[in-house]
Amino acid sequence: MPIDIETFESSPEDRLQNGGETNADRVMRFLAAHPNQAFTQSEIREATDVKAGSISVVLSRLEERGLVRHKGNYWALGEADDVAAYTSMVESSRAANDRFGEEDMDEWLEHAVDDEDTE
């Protein structure tokens, strides 16, 4: 499926390689497909094609958000409520992006309130 040149020019390379799916999305999709199992980092990396240098960072960030659990050498999907909230947010964001287009972060930052100016 083709993309417009503005998306091509402004998107990070990893986003274009994976059809817009992030490493975290791939890990969450894999773990959600296996909710009753736990996996090592290596097993998750192999199943998701996340680069070896990225998998531990991705898993750690997901753990900080309560989306995955970690015990010993194993990682599993997080608690149902946290995962449901994440899934709802992701789907809402995708629906909004499909309907209205993605946010231009540089444009948004240009108009954002600077906390230092409000004090």
Side-chain angles (χ1 to χ4, degrees), residues 78-96:
E79 297 298 326
D81 291 344
D82 294 330
V83 174
Y86 167 80
T87 302
S88 176
M89 183 271 310
V90 167
E91 290 307 316
S92 296
S93 295
R94 283 192 183 135

Side-chain angles (χ1 to χ4, degrees), residues 31-43:
L31 292 175
H34 305 91
N36 296 317
Q37 294 178 290
F39 301 88
T40 65
Q41 277 190 15
S42 297
E43 292 167 334

Side-chain angles (χ1 to χ4, degrees), residues 54-66:
S54 300
I55 192 68
S56 90
V57 172
V58 170
L59 288 167
S60 293
R61 288 182 180 163
L62 290 172
E63 183 181 27
E64 288 171 6
R65 295 181 180 113

Side-chain angles (χ1 to χ4, degrees), residues 67-107:
L67 300 174
V68 300
R69 295 174 285 161
H70 177 228
K71 188 184 284 186
N73 291 329
Y74 289 89
W75 297 82
L77 194 62
E79 297 298 326
D81 291 344
D82 294 330
V83 174
Y86 167 80
T87 302
S88 176
M89 183 271 310
V90 167
E91 290 307 316
S92 296
S93 295
R94 283 192 183 135
N97 286 342
D98 288 346
R99 183 169 180 192
F100 303 111
E102 291 192 30
E103 289 287 331
D104 179 344
M105 188 58 82
D106 292 332
E107 182 179 337

